[in-house]
Amino acid sequence: MPWWHGAFIYQVYVRSWRDSDGDGYGDLPGVIDGLDYLEWLGADAVWLSPTMPSPDDDWGYDVSDYLGVHPGLGTLDDLDRLVREAGTRGMRVLLDLVPNHTSSAHAWFVDARGSRTSRHRDFYVWADPAPGGGPPNNWLDHTGEPAWTFDEPTRQYYLHNFLPSQPDLNWWNPSVHEAFEGILRFWLDRGIAGFRIDVAHGLYKDAELRDDPPADPADPRGRNGLLPAYSANRPEVHGVYRDWRRIAEAYSPPAVLLGETWVREVSELAAFYGDDDELQLAFNFPFVFADFRADAMRSVVARTFASLRPGACPVWTASNHDISRFATRWCGGDERRIRLALGVLATLPGAMVLYYGDEIGMPDVDVPPALQRDPMTMNGRAGGPCRDRSRTPMQWSGGPTGGFAPEGVPTWLPLGDAAAANVADERVDPSSVISWTRALLGVRRLYLSGSVASYEELPGGDDQWVYRAGPLVVRANFSEERVQVAGVGQVLLRSSAEPVGAGVATAANGGNLELAPWECVVAAESP
Ligand code: NOJ
């Protein structure tokens, strides 16, 4: 079975995880220092946020060299060592690959904008002004501005779905395919186990550059009032993943391709798995953005399993570097809900991805405008909150730098309330969130790893979500009520901080149990 079936993948936002050299930024040697911790936690793999050289207009998602390591994060030797050191602990390393766009500082773009006949001109999407002047069509970038920037010297517009310094690549050009296939092989040959693919749904754009239609305000797929029907989400992208899958399969074990597949409805997700010949893993954003209610969760999970081909491996995650952390967004900081959410994430069949800090219930941090560092979303740009709220330093301990950087070093983003939630204090407390997470991961490894277990929803009240996951039965109480349940089976774990005792189901009491408000109980089915 592929190793990622039932695996636990840990996302490290490298700049914010561990600062080894005291400059206030996390780095690759810091990640190496943290590998023992990840082994203790039970990670099967680490996904590193972008590690390649970049001017950092989008913190690494604007790559200027796909075959290197960002000097601020370390060296290629550090990355090689990280892969080796992870390997000795039984862990694999995934890199973030950004194929939709490059940095405008990339040598390809520097060459491309040199003249209309430059060798790399067609690596990018260029177009003449509209007949009456102005941008070639109505497409908007992620900040809500026109997605086209006029290049004065060559008198054409170039396309950027993100910042103007992130020109979109032209995937209609076979040379772009060739270049990326070389990039894939370069890293896989060095022992990288696979890639998280940025903007995986977006590489191809409509060949005729047709206008995006207006979006119905109720349509969740809308962006800045438009439906990105032509500026992204084109069917031709599947050919790219079929090619990459063939490359991935040439390695032993096969490399894994995990797509950032921004679709708003789970039924659209299945296409990215192809006929088991495209991506092996695809992020499930409809689940991420589901309301934290039993009915909403049950429904999106049921639809996920109904739409994926049997054997396909869903991905369960709830936080990342672009969105609010689940401890805040789903749980409003309520520890009972945080434990419940972790219980569900760890027991749904498929792969699970936790974002650094999720394991201690780390909440969003309110980063004041003067300290914001994300050019794309600072000061309300892009019309939403600044993404820095979920990129603050990892809270390793309760000290002034949270154990992230040496004492006295100003951290690149402000530290959250490390005294309230940190690894050091939680590790020694058997009733802490991290102890709960680790216990869940232990049960997961024992019962759910190595396969995509079967999933079946079981009857329960309106605010209950009861399901069978392989040999486990999970009862999740999404309410403030206490709930009586019968025939529980052998209780393996319960999330309530209440002492286990009278509440444990036994043969003597007929397997009855009372669930506390927002409690999650994981049981093994009675034989
Ligand atoms: C998705 C990444 O997760 C996000 O951080 C980035 O800004 C965009 N893609 C553009 O690369």
Side-chain angles (χ1 to χ4, degrees), residues 287 297 339-348 465 467 474 476 478 520:
F287 173 79
M297 293 260 150
R339 288 165 175 269
L340 174 67
L342 287 163
V344 165
L345 285 166
T347 55
L348 285 171
W465 181 14
Y467 56 90
V474 179
F478 282 72
C520 166

Side-chain angles (χ1 to χ4, degrees), residues 45 277 384:
D277 58 355

Side-chain angles (χ1 to χ4, degrees), residues 6 60 86 134 159 193 200 204 221 232 241 245 262 327 350 394 411 413 454 483-484 497 522:
L159 177 70
Y204 270 89
R221 293 169 305 166
Y241 300 136
R245 178 67 177 269
W262 266 94
M394 176 65 173
T411 57
L413 279 174
S454 57
V483 179
Q484 304 293 331
V522 181

Side-chain angles (χ1 to χ4, degrees), residues 170-490:
N170 172 19
W171 280 89
W172 292 100
N173 179 352
S175 301
V176 171
H177 292 239
E178 217 176 284
F180 271 85
E181 290 174 9
I183 292 163
L184 250 59
R185 290 196 176 94
F186 174 83
W187 291 111
L188 296 177
D189 288 345
R190 298 190 93 86
I192 293 298
F195 303 95
R196 175 265 190 190
I197 301 161
D198 191 60
V199 196
H201 53 289
L203 310 193
Y204 270 89
K205 283 81 194 173
D206 181 46
E208 295 166 41
L209 304 179
R210 282 171 283 189
D211 277 358
D212 276 337
D216 184 314
D219 190 334
R221 293 169 305 166
R223 207 184 67 215
N224 297 315
L226 297 175
L227 197 64
Y230 295 114
S231 54
N233 305 308
R234 305 306 299 160
E236 293 82 6
V237 78
H238 297 289
V240 175
Y241 300 136
R242 283 191 288 273
D243 291 344
W244 289 10
R245 178 67 177 269
R246 279 192 288 274
I247 293 173
E249 297 284 346
Y251 289 79
S252 175
V256 67
L257 305 171
L258 160 59
E260 188 208 17
T261 39
W262 266 94
V263 298
R264 293 294 183 139
E265 183 38 59
V266 275
S267 54
E268 299 164 45
L269 204 57
F272 287 93
Y273 290 80
D275 193 11
D276 192 18
D277 58 355
E278 297 188 30
L279 307 180
Q280 302 100 326
L281 297 173
F283 274 119
N284 186 341
F285 288 102
F287 173 79
V288 176
F289 291 116
D291 287 340
F292 196 59
R293 291 195 326 261
D295 58 344
M297 293 260 150
R298 282 195 306 252
S299 152
V300 69
V301 170
R303 282 182 283 123
T304 301
F305 282 107
S307 54
L308 294 191
R309 184 186 49 75
C313 185
V315 183
W316 308 109
T317 193
S319 306
N320 69 35
H321 59 286
D322 292 330
I323 60 177
S324 167
R325 289 174 174 276
F326 83 80
T328 299
R329 184 169 39 83
W330 271 353
C331 310
D334 179 339
E335 190 176 317
R336 301 169 307 167
R337 297 185 203 204
I338 293 172
R339 288 165 175 269
L340 174 67
L342 287 163
V344 165
L345 285 166
T347 55
L348 285 171
M352 168 177 68
V353 182
L354 286 187
Y355 183 47
Y356 81 95
D358 280 352
E359 71 276 26
I360 55 169
M362 198 167 139
D364 288 347
V365 175
D366 189 18
V367 180
L371 300 181
Q372 292 174 359
R373 302 291 306 270
D374 175 30
M376 193 157 353
T377 59
M378 56 171 49
N379 297 314
R381 191 177 178 193
C386 179
R387 298 183 294 187
D388 289 336
R389 63 187 166 168
S390 57
R391 299 178 177 183
T392 58
M394 176 65 173
Q395 299 172 191
W396 293 100
S397 64
T401 55
F404 159 75
E407 299 271 317
V409 166
T411 57
W412 82 291
L413 279 174
L415 182 74
D417 185 356
N422 69 70
V423 173
D425 291 346
E426 293 195 19
R427 262 181 96 149
V428 295
D429 174 2
S431 67
S432 67
V433 174
I434 207 172
S435 297
W436 167 244
T437 306
R438 191 158 172 265
L440 283 165
L441 291 166
V443 164
R444 176 185 173 81
R445 182 174 293 271
L446 218 53
Y447 290 87
L448 298 177
S449 68
S451 69
V452 180
S454 57
Y455 172 84
E456 185 191 354
E457 198 177 302
L458 299 173
D462 283 353
D463 292 331
Q464 311 300 306
W465 181 14
V466 187
Y467 56 90
R468 184 177 285 131
L472 301 178
V473 175
V474 179
R475 289 177 176 77
N477 177 14
F478 282 72
S479 81
E480 288 292 345
E481 309 299 321
R482 306 185 76 82
V483 179
Q484 304 293 331
V485 288
V488 172
Q490 185 204 351

